[in-house]
């Protein structure tokens, strides 16, 4: 798997398959349904990872390291922003330190790419990096997902990780996050949930994050409204679009910006 419709990256790289739900943001994880479809298409890597639960597809908790996928980014000669493990969580307890070290080694060897690692297990990420990574690899971005105030403490672990770029994905934003210390956080992505079971997003929750990004000089990327629009009405993700405060927000971490002025005023 490589090309993607995810707005903030160019490609996905999935050296791990399978995961397990860890918090409320995982409830409608698109990777569960995608894994089921890939299994139905006969792709062995995703076989047996999910089961049906009522109308939903859910993970069984099996995690598979795909050693054969490790060299994929080495074969990509043109530079890309690469989202690592869109179908899993690299820091799931089922992934060995040895395997994560191999992933790091590939990222270090392919410095023409930028790697975006997003986890809901930042405590393990912080412990792993401190123990095994001797120097910051400049093209590796480390991030965590925060979907509501309950999970906002994940930022504390993220901030302890030595990294060139630290980022937070506030997606799916399913509740207010509240006051959050974004010092040392270079980039924030915000988005609503999409799909059949999507939960609503409120504009005031986005405002709260936007304003804090502005005061901490954190680049702001608004990914999507999702299935619920700003008027709190349900329609397609496409119809709801990506406009917030009258414009599209595609800001990237400083030095990598592709669009105009963000709330951090850095351009
Ligand atoms: S951690 Fe990510 S991949 Fe794993 S269940 Fe949650 S949303 Fe899905």
């Amino acid at each position: 798997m490589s090309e993607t419709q995810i707005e903030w990256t160019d490609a996905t790289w999935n050296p791990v398959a399978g995961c397990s739900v860890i918090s409320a943001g995982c409830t409608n994880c698109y990777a569960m349904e995608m894994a089921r479809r890939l299994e139905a298409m006969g792709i062995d890597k995703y076989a047996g990872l999910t089961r049906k639960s009522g109308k939903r597809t859910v993970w069984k908790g099996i995690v598979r390291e795909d050693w054969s996928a490790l060299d994929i980014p080495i074969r990509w000669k043109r530079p890309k922003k690469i989202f690592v493990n869109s179908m899993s969580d690299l820091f799931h307890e089922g992934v060995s330190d040895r395997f994560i070290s191999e992933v790091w080694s590939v990222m270090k060897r392919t410095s023409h790419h930028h790697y975006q690692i997003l986890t809901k297990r930042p405590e393990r990420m912080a412990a792993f990096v401190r123990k095994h990574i001797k120097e910051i690899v400049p093209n590796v971005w480390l991030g965590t997902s925060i979907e509501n105030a309950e999970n906002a403490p994940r930022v504390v672990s993220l901030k302890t990780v030595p990294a060139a770029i630290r980022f937070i994905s506030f997606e799916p934003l399913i509740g207010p996050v509240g006051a959050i210390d974004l010092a040392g956080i270079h980039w924030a992505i915000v988005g609503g949930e999409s799909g059949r079971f999507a939960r609503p997003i409120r504009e005031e929750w986005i405002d709260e994050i936007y304003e804090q990004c502005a005061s901490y000089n954190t680049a702001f990327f608004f990914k999507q409204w999702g299935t619920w629009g700003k008027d709190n009405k349900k329609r397609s993700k496409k119809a709801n679009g990506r406009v917030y405060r009258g414009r599209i927000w595609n800001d990237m971490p400083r030095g990598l910006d592709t669009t105009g002025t963000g709330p951090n005023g850095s351009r």
Side-chain angles (χ1 to χ4, degrees):
M1 185 170 301
S2 57
E3 296 309 314
T4 176
Q5 297 190 339
I6 299 171
E7 292 83 350
W8 45 263
T9 197
D10 300 321
T12 57
W13 171 40
N14 281 291
V16 180
C19 197
S20 47
V21 165
I22 188 169
S23 64
C26 300
T27 302
N28 300 321
C29 167
Y30 79 95
M32 295 193 276
E33 180 57 27
M34 181 65 75
R36 185 196 65 76
R37 282 191 224 161
L38 292 169
E39 178 179 15
M41 289 162 62
I43 299 176
D44 289 347
K45 176 170 174 174
Y46 295 96
L49 298 181
T50 62
R51 63 179 172 80
K52 287 305 271 187
S53 173
K55 292 184 177 169
R56 293 167 184 269
T57 303
V58 294
W59 295 122
K60 286 183 184 170
I62 300 167
V63 172
R64 198 165 281 149
E65 297 171 352
D66 182 359
W67 290 76
S68 71
L70 284 173
D71 68 348
I72 290 173
I74 298 169
R75 300 201 299 261
W76 292 338
K77 301 301 176 204
R78 284 181 54 195
K80 295 177 191 288
K81 292 192 294 298
I82 301 173
F83 177 18
V84 182
N85 278 328
S86 61
M87 297 287 292
S88 182
D89 186 331
L90 186 63
F91 294 98
H92 188 285
E93 58 275 19
V95 185
S96 65
D97 280 4
R98 186 169 154 243
F99 190 78
I100 302 171
S101 296
E102 290 297 326
V103 168
W104 234 269
S105 162
V106 171
M107 297 190 296
K108 191 171 176 186
R109 284 168 57 200
T110 49
S111 58
H112 57 300
H113 298 313
H114 286 274
Y115 291 93
Q116 299 157 311
I117 300 179
L118 192 54
T119 182
K120 284 192 171 71
R121 294 155 173 95
E123 309 80 13
R124 185 178 179 208
M125 178 166 74
F128 172 87
V129 170
R130 277 198 298 272
K131 184 169 176 192
H132 297 284
I133 306 301
K134 302 297 171 218
E135 58 186 348
I136 290 176
V137 182
N139 60 322
V140 176
W141 309 7
L142 299 180
T144 193
S145 299
I146 293 175
E147 64 268 44
N148 55 21
E150 189 182 339
N151 293 297
R154 285 179 185 148
V155 72
V156 177
S157 300
L158 178 64
K159 289 169 75 154
T160 67
V161 190
I165 290 178
R166 285 181 221 93
F167 69 103
I168 298 175
S169 172
F170 297 98
E171 190 196 19
L173 190 63
I174 54 172
V177 166
I180 185 163
D181 180 359
L182 296 178
I185 304 299
H186 304 92
W187 188 40
I189 302 160
V190 178
E193 196 165 44
S194 51
R196 211 163 29 137
F197 302 107
R199 292 158 286 185
I201 186 170
R202 295 277 162 76
E203 190 166 17
E204 59 264 30
W205 304 342
I206 308 169
D207 291 342
E208 187 180 54
I209 295 168
Y210 171 89
E211 280 154 21
Q212 293 183 92
C213 284
S215 53
Y216 283 98
N217 209 25
T218 300
F220 179 84
F221 190 108
F222 184 65
K223 180 162 171 271
Q224 61 172 25
W225 283 95
T227 300
W228 294 85
K230 64 183 292 186
D231 54 1
N232 214 22
K233 291 206 173 114
K234 213 172 176 183
R235 50 178 94 76
S236 74
K237 167 185 159 177
K238 192 173 173 196
N240 281 325
R242 302 187 53 217
V243 173
Y244 166 68
R245 294 190 181 220
R247 59 162 281 200
I248 304 278
W249 300 85
N250 280 344
D251 292 359
M252 301 299 286
R254 188 178 295 199
L256 292 158
D257 299 303
T258 55
T259 58
T261 306
N264 58 15
S266 57
R267 289 157 302 283

